[in-house]
């Protein structure tokens, strides 16, 4: 790895055209429409008002919520997330109306993304106010803006990421040389994790192009299954449900990412907010956090119902629900939690440095957990820690 490689945010744009051409070549001839139907999930970017049973729930009469007519400081809150099971808090909370119940008269508009860098761009542009996102794009967005664009305000999920491979081509973790392994996008959380892992195994890979001892092929999650079937990639380091989808196509799980982390926990999904929106509408942010905490409690208390809710939300976004053979193992591998697991964020930043995607960043101030801890305290729950990376 070149020790003085440019930071991640300087890598993404200069190479975007080349990366797109590389990915396109790897999956040439694949039909996007049929892929979306076959996979049951996608990256449709859609800005719409929440139209689930949220509106009915908003008048359910919870005195601790904004429901029942209390007016919050913003008419609308724009929320971003992925149609991935690792974003299950957003999927379930929207489906069950748990966010709208807390927001009362404040309407929700949603936008769905495939990977984090695009969501960060949307946050910076004001297209979304709050988002569910992986740690690496959050780190990149924070450092690129010199600490001015976003704050991490809560955790959401841990786990749910696997390296799956074609068993006819890859026999073991020591058999990756010369293979083509997909990740969702240059610089996203799984991309960083794979590059860091390969570096730790002694493989040399150019982080920008993905070329090297192992070819890292940046491929949209909805395209990866057909790319695998056509032999364009030999495996993928991907979140759920993509990993379990590949298993149904004959792939085997070579590594569960949680197995490389202490206590088998690592942040896979955070909640971020634009600093401008946090400053101007803290009551709205607090309401969203109440919805998130309530949703995670609902998921724990009603795992089967929550799983069905997430699947229904994916069906709405992508057109098809996930089959049980994909949904069940994927859902069971994800832990939904409020704790942002802040200590693992610093580790993931260090991984990006090791991978050659980032110069050593300063993450001081990336967290603002005051509102989350206020919500947790009101419920009699313990505060969560920011690992020394709290508000400046």
């Amino acid at each position: 790895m070149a020790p003085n490689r440019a930071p991640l945010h300087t890598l993404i744009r200069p190479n975007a055209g080349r990366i797109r051409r590389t990915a396109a070549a790897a999956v040439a001839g694949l039909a996007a429409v049929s892929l979306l139907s076959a996979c049951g999930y996608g990256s449709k970017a859609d800005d719409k008002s929440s139209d689930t049973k949220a509106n009915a729930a908003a008048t359910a009469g919870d005195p601790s919520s904004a429901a029942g007519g209390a007016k919050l400081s913003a008419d609308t809150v724009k929320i971003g997330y992925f149609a991935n099971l690792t974003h299950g808090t957003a999927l379930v909370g929207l489906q069950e109306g748990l966010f709208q119940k807390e927001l009362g008269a404040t309407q929700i508009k949603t936008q769905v993304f495939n990977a984090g860098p695009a969501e960060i761009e949307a946050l910076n542009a004001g297209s979304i106010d709050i988002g569910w996102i992986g740690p690496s794009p959050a780190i990149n967005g924070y450092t690129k803006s010199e600490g001015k664009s976003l704050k991490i305000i809560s955790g959401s999920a841990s786990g749910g990421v696997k390296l799956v491979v074609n068993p006819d081509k890859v026999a073991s973790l020591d058999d990756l040389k010369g293979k083509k392994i997909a990740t969702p996008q240059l610089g996203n959380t799984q991309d960083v994790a794979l590059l860091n892992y390969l570096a730790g195994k002694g493989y040399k890979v150019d982080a920008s192009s993905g070329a090297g001892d192992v070819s890292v092929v940046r491929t949209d999650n909805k395209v990866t299954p057909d790319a695998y079937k056509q032999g364009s990639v030999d495996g993928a380091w991907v979140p759920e449900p993509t990993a379990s989808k590949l298993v149904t196509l004959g792939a085997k799980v070579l590594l569960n990412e949680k197995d490389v982390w202490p206590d088998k926990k690592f942040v896979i999904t955070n909640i971020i907010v634009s600093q401008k929106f946090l400053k101007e509408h803290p009551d709205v942010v607090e309401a969203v956090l109440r919805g998130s905490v309530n949703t995670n409690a609902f998921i724990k208390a009603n795992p089967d119902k929550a799983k069905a809710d997430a699947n229904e939300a994916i069906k709405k976004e992508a057109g098809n629900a996930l089959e049980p053979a994909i949904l069940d193992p994927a859902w069971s591998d994800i832990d939904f939690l409020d704790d942002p697991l802040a200590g693992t964020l610093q580790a993931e930043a260090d991984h990006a440095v090791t991978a050659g995607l980032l110069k050593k960043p300063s993450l001081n101030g990336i967290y603002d957990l005051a509102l989350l801890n206020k919500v947790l305290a009101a419920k009699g729950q313990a505060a969560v820690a920011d690992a020394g990376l709290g508000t400046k």
Side-chain angles (χ1 to χ4, degrees):
M1 294 290 170
N4 297 318
R5 191 177 309 283
L8 173 57
H9 62 267
T10 66
L11 290 174
I12 292 176
R13 289 190 178 279
N15 293 282
R18 178 155 53 115
I19 296 303
R20 284 193 295 268
R21 290 192 296 270
T22 301
V27 297
L30 302 181
V33 173
S34 65
L35 287 171
L36 189 59
S37 174
C39 297
Y41 54 93
S43 59
K44 179 175 63 175
D46 190 13
D47 189 353
K48 59 182 182 294
S49 296
S50 176
D51 59 359
T52 66
K53 53 187 174 184
N55 293 329
T59 59
D62 182 347
S64 68
S65 75
K71 174 68 173 172
L72 299 182
S73 63
D75 293 330
T76 302
V77 58
K78 295 168 287 186
I79 294 177
Y81 58 96
F82 305 174
N84 285 350
L85 293 178
T86 51
H87 289 224
T89 304
L91 299 176
V92 174
L94 289 167
Q95 188 69 18
E96 283 289 326
L98 297 173
F99 293 109
Q100 193 67 68
K101 180 177 180 181
E102 300 300 329
L103 287 162
T106 297
Q107 294 299 303
I108 298 171
K109 289 188 176 180
T110 61
Q111 189 167 352
V112 182
F113 299 87
N114 173 67
E119 186 172 329
I120 292 293
E121 290 183 4
L123 187 85
N124 291 340
S127 298
I128 62 169
D129 306 310
I130 296 174
W132 272 254
I133 200 167
S136 292
I139 291 167
N140 182 48
Y142 186 77
T143 57
K144 180 179 179 180
S145 69
E146 299 180 343
K148 298 176 182 178
S149 66
L150 64 86
K151 293 286 186 180
I152 296 174
I153 54 174
S154 179
S156 183
S158 170
V161 180
K162 296 166 185 161
L163 170 61
V164 295
V165 299
N166 184 332
D168 295 330
K169 297 182 179 180
V170 183
S172 72
L173 289 168
D174 297 320
D175 192 31
L176 294 173
K177 188 171 183 178
K179 305 303 187 297
K180 300 182 290 293
I181 306 298
T183 65
Q185 187 173 354
L186 172 63
N188 96 308
T189 301
Q190 290 77 51
D191 193 62
V192 170
L194 174 60
L195 289 170
N196 175 72
Y197 181 80
L198 294 175
K201 298 287 284 186
Y203 294 114
K204 303 298 182 183
V205 178
D206 180 79
S208 176
S209 68
D213 293 338
V214 179
S215 296
V216 179
V217 182
R218 282 77 184 217
T219 309
D220 191 306
N221 282 332
K222 71 177 183 290
V223 174
T224 300
D226 267 36
Y228 175 84
K229 285 194 294 185
Q230 297 296 329
S232 298
V233 296
D234 303 314
W237 191 299
V238 283
E240 295 291 5
T242 310
S244 291
K245 170 65 176 179
L246 292 171
V247 170
T248 67
L249 298 176
K252 72 172 183 179
V253 177
L254 198 61
L255 179 70
N256 190 320
E257 188 177 341
K258 65 175 60 177
D259 291 336
V260 304
W261 286 92
D263 302 322
K264 296 185 181 295
K265 288 187 177 181
F266 64 101
V267 58
I268 184 61
T269 311
N270 286 309
I271 305 176
I272 60 171
V273 65
S274 81
Q275 292 185 23
K276 181 176 184 294
F277 192 84
L278 177 61
K279 181 178 180 180
E280 294 177 355
H281 304 290
D283 58 332
V284 178
V285 176
E286 183 179 340
V288 171
L289 288 173
R290 281 198 304 270
S292 177
V293 170
N294 290 343
T295 299
N296 287 338
F298 177 87
I299 290 172
K300 288 180 175 62
N302 307 277
D304 290 338
K305 180 64 168 66
K307 179 171 63 175
D309 283 339
N311 204 20
E312 180 63 24
I314 288 174
K315 180 181 178 180
K316 288 181 179 179
E317 297 299 341
N320 282 345
L322 299 172
E323 301 170 3
I326 299 171
L327 178 64
D328 293 346
W331 187 257
S332 66
D333 196 50
I334 304 167
D335 298 316
F336 296 99
L337 38 73
D338 306 311
D339 189 338
L341 303 173
T344 67
L345 186 83
Q346 182 65 65
E348 296 201 25
D350 294 340
H351 294 170
V353 174
T354 300
L357 286 170
L358 194 68
K359 291 180 179 178
K360 184 69 174 179
S362 173
L363 300 183
N364 186 43
I366 194 170
Y367 287 102
D368 187 341
L369 303 178
L371 290 176
L372 173 63
N373 283 327
K374 178 182 176 182
V375 170
L376 293 174
K379 294 179 175 296
Q381 299 179 29
V384 296
D386 59 25
L389 302 175
T391 305
K392 294 177 183 177

